[in-house]
Amino acid sequence: MRSFEYRRAADRTEALSMAGAERARYLGGGTNLVDLMRQNIEAPAALVDVSCLPGTIEDTPKGGLLIGAAVRNSFVATHPAVRTRYPMLSRALLAGASAQIRNMATVGGNILQRTRCAYFYDAVGSRCNKRELGAGCDAIGGFNRYHAIFGTSEHCIATHPSDMCVALAALDAVVHLVGPEGDRSVPMIDFHRLPGVNPQIETVLRPGELITAIELTPSAAAANSAYRKVRDRSSYAFALVSVAAGLDVVAGKIKDVRIALGGVAAKPWRAVRAEEVLRGQVPNRERFREAADAELSAAKSFDGNGFKTELAKRTIVAVLGELNGADA
Amino acid sequence: MAIVINGTEYPLPDDFRVSLLDLLRERLGLTGTKLGCNQGACGACTVIVDGARVLSCLTLAVQAEGREVRTIEGLASEDGRLHALQHAFIEHDGLQCGYCTPGQICSAIAMVEELRRGDPSYVTADLAEGPKGATRQEIRERMSGNLCRCGAHNGIVEAIEEMLVGEAV
């Protein structure tokens, strides 16, 4: 690991001024960044520790929740308001990593964690356009069981590894930012970028910007929601496919439905096509399958991950069935 | 500021690159905590910081400044009597080579507190209500961050169960 300066920010203003230096990075729990630094994939000149900034979960005037970026993943997952009003978020967090890592990882750091593509991590032996633009992508013709089926490019097929972000995308969460040029807010579904020709640019964050909070709005679909993660072992593994979904049925028809997929793209994948098929319809298994088919019709798989298309469809149908009160 | 380990204060290392794990093992001679994968995949380095189980390999020592760290060396009583869970591990063969054991035990001690608080896990059926007792399924899910290459997981689960006997968790 290359040497670096370490500074602890007392508040967000101090954080912004400390991060002014070139090649500074904000530090949350460090569960991903410290590892990347040890692998010499990231080599910041300075770390600005923002994990000590006020970390609270507060009710908003609109009846939603404002979750501070420094709040630990385990605190969000076990918070009574999250468990009852946004169960998909609680379940998604509990599906991620291990208890030890959830105790360390912050909300902001979870959003900004980087792909676990093995070729991205193999700095010595593999080509990766994220690490070195123009080098090539060894995942495309390599072992790509864990890679994306939506939004890929000829330059990168990596996935975003977060479970939490999949739930946040389904919940229409908003990311609050402060930066050298002022404050702004970005919807979660627009926060991460697809790889295109610049896979090294993974989010819409501008230099020096800091995530301060996540805002959730209340909804019946959020209160009746679930998260299911399919993986190679039953715990402590990244998703092959995951589904976050919420369902609000009124008078026998679907009033509101939210579906997002994990493990399939460089960002949490909001299943807008599936939602369109379902809105206003009578909820049943055939309709759920039709919606899943519509969403996955745009999927493009590779040699090692063709199974993900059918797996995603079945998982969507199963989760919607569970929310509809039927056997999954 | 300093770092408190098992009740004793120690100065922080000058080099920010030193992990909490390296501070414990290489600088303070507290070699009970083990170095496994050094990348957050195995749980061998688990310690308890301010009551919460964390991975010391992914924690920079400086991040633990002002906090209280408890390691396997800090579990026995002052007169040398083992912690109840250490006894239970011996009783139930919760180990073979023993390399993952300090991490398993630190992890389990903090896990029991999480259960007592009523924290849900991924396998808890009703998130709002919380876990219905320390079932084997709950213990296995909650201990999934600690791998045992010898395959002593059955004994580990039994040891934890024994410690929880009689508790309405």
Side-chain angles (χ1 to χ4, degrees), chain A residues 268-297:
Chain A
W269 191 261
R270 185 72 182 260
V272 286
R273 292 184 188 203
E275 291 177 8
E276 272 170 30
V277 169
L278 291 170
R279 215 166 278 121
Q281 302 297 313
V282 175
N284 58 47
R285 196 180 172 82
E286 290 68 37
R287 198 62 84 184
F288 297 155
R289 180 72 199 194
E290 192 187 320
D293 285 341
E295 189 63 43
L296 272 297
S297 64

Side-chain angles (χ1 to χ4, degrees), chain A:
Chain A
M1 194 188 293
R2 285 173 224 171
S3 57
F4 55 88
E5 287 302 310
Y6 171 91
R7 305 178 192 114
R8 194 172 292 142
D11 54 46
R12 60 178 63 169
T13 312
E14 193 173 88
L16 287 181
S17 74
M18 283 177 170
E22 205 180 340
R23 288 175 52 230
R25 288 289 308 268
Y26 293 117
L27 177 69
T31 58
N32 187 216
L33 183 54
V34 169
D35 189 29
L36 289 165
M37 288 166 66
R38 196 170 277 149
Q39 307 290 331
N40 283 321
I41 294 167
E42 298 237 20
L47 291 180
V48 177
D49 191 341
V50 290
S51 66
C52 301
L53 297 189
T56 57
I57 298 179
E58 292 166 15
D59 286 303
T60 66
K62 296 173 194 164
L65 287 178
L66 190 68
I67 302 172
V71 178
R72 309 286 166 169
N73 285 190
S74 52
F75 190 79
V76 182
T78 58
H79 194 280
V82 178
R83 285 154 65 178
T84 51
R85 286 146 64 184
Y86 305 95
M88 71 158 86
L89 177 57
S90 180
R91 190 80 71 184
L93 281 158
L94 293 169
S98 66
Q100 290 95 315
I101 292 172
R102 294 192 292 271
N103 279 337
M104 303 166 72
T106 62
V107 168
N110 186 316
I111 295 170
L112 292 175
Q113 66 177 305
R114 305 195 68 189
T115 185
R116 299 311 198 282
C117 171
Y119 301 99
F120 170 69
Y121 265 79
D122 181 22
V124 177
S126 301
R127 298 178 304 151
C128 172
N129 288 317
K130 269 189 193 295
R131 275 190 282 104
E132 190 189 345
L133 191 60
C137 170
D138 276 343
I140 290 173
F143 182 73
N144 45 39
R145 174 175 176 78
Y146 298 99
H147 288 73
I149 56 172
F150 285 118
T152 57
S153 76
E154 60 183 302
H155 305 288
C156 184
I157 62 169
T159 56
H160 193 259
S162 170
D163 294 292
M164 180 191 78
C165 289
V166 181
L168 292 178
L171 291 168
D172 283 326
V174 171
V175 185
H176 291 297
L177 307 169
V178 295
E181 288 156 34
D183 303 357
R184 66 183 180 123
S185 300
V186 179
M188 188 70 224
I189 51 171
D190 298 328
F191 188 82
H192 295 94
R193 291 164 43 112
L194 292 175
V197 296
N198 282 302
Q200 80 284 9
I201 305 173
E202 295 167 358
T203 70
V204 298
L205 265 189
R206 295 171 190 154
E209 275 189 323
L210 172 69
I211 300 174
T212 56
I214 299 297
E215 187 170 350
L216 300 173
T217 51
S219 71
N224 180 40
S225 67
Y227 185 81
R228 191 177 296 193
K229 183 176 185 181
V230 184
R231 40 192 160 168
D232 276 334
R233 60 183 185 197
S234 61
S235 186
Y236 201 16
F238 289 98
L240 292 166
V241 164
S242 69
V243 173
L247 187 66
D248 179 24
V249 178
V250 176
K253 293 205 171 150
I254 297 172
K255 187 181 171 199
D256 188 13
V257 59
R258 320 282 188 82
I259 306 167
L261 308 176
V264 296
K267 60 188 291 183
W269 191 261
R270 185 72 182 260
V272 286
R273 292 184 188 203
E275 291 177 8
E276 272 170 30
V277 169
L278 291 170
R279 215 166 278 121
Q281 302 297 313
V282 175
N284 58 47
R285 196 180 172 82
E286 290 68 37
R287 198 62 84 184
F288 297 155
R289 180 72 199 194
E290 192 187 320
D293 285 341
E295 189 63 43
L296 272 297
S297 64
K300 174 181 177 282
S301 61
F302 296 84
D303 286 347
N305 67 0
F307 69 94
K308 281 195 178 186
T309 306
E310 180 61 22
L311 183 61
K313 289 181 185 180
R314 292 187 189 187
T315 311
I316 291 171
V317 173
V319 174
L320 291 174
E322 177 190 326
L323 293 173
N324 194 36
D327 289 344

